[in-house]
Amino acid sequence: MRAKFVVVAAFAALVNSPALAAEPSNSTPHALACMKKFGFTYAQWRAYAVPAEKAEPYRACRDAGPAGQNSGQGKSGACQRKAGFTQAQNAAGQVTPEQRRKWEVCMGM
């Protein structure tokens, strides 16, 4: 009985892991252009061979989208970027209280 509980608990922890949250696609033309900008390839990304100092600015570039793509988000989208999170992270509940506070200050709330 105890072993069954451990297996169920481990599975529940895995399913609820934030690491499984959907990340935007890394194979779009815009994402590939961002990879090129920061000096690595899609194959390196897939092999987890990209250092953090390149991965973080790449994600910001990728999440910003092509020029004009975020124009419908207006001030909210600009404030999200300024606060350091994306709409996908917001939808997945991955925004920290500090990021939320920065967004609210930017929005004038």
Side-chain angles (χ1 to χ4, degrees):
M1 180 69 174
R2 182 173 171 91
K4 186 176 183 181
F5 174 76
V6 171
V7 170
V8 170
F11 179 74
L14 179 65
V15 169
N16 292 321
S17 170
L20 292 178
E23 186 172 88
S25 176
N26 295 299
S27 60
T28 65
H30 175 70
L32 296 172
C34 290
M35 287 179 194
K36 185 175 182 179
K37 176 179 178 181
F38 291 101
F40 61 92
T41 66
Y42 183 67
Q44 289 170 311
W45 181 260
R46 294 287 309 241
Y48 298 95
V50 178
E53 59 269 9
K54 288 184 177 184
E56 291 309 313
Y58 156 72
R59 284 188 178 104
C61 175
R62 176 202 62 202
D63 295 348
Q69 178 179 322
N70 293 324
S71 60
Q73 291 181 349
K75 185 175 181 180
S76 179
C79 288
Q80 284 178 350
R81 288 187 296 281
K82 187 174 181 180
F85 65 92
T86 66
Q87 183 58 37
Q89 289 170 316
N90 187 40
Q94 298 175 333
V95 178
T96 67
E98 179 64 18
Q99 288 172 319
R100 176 71 56 204
R101 187 191 65 73
K102 288 179 182 178
W103 178 82
E104 289 172 350
V105 168
C106 179
M107 291 294 290
M109 296 180 162

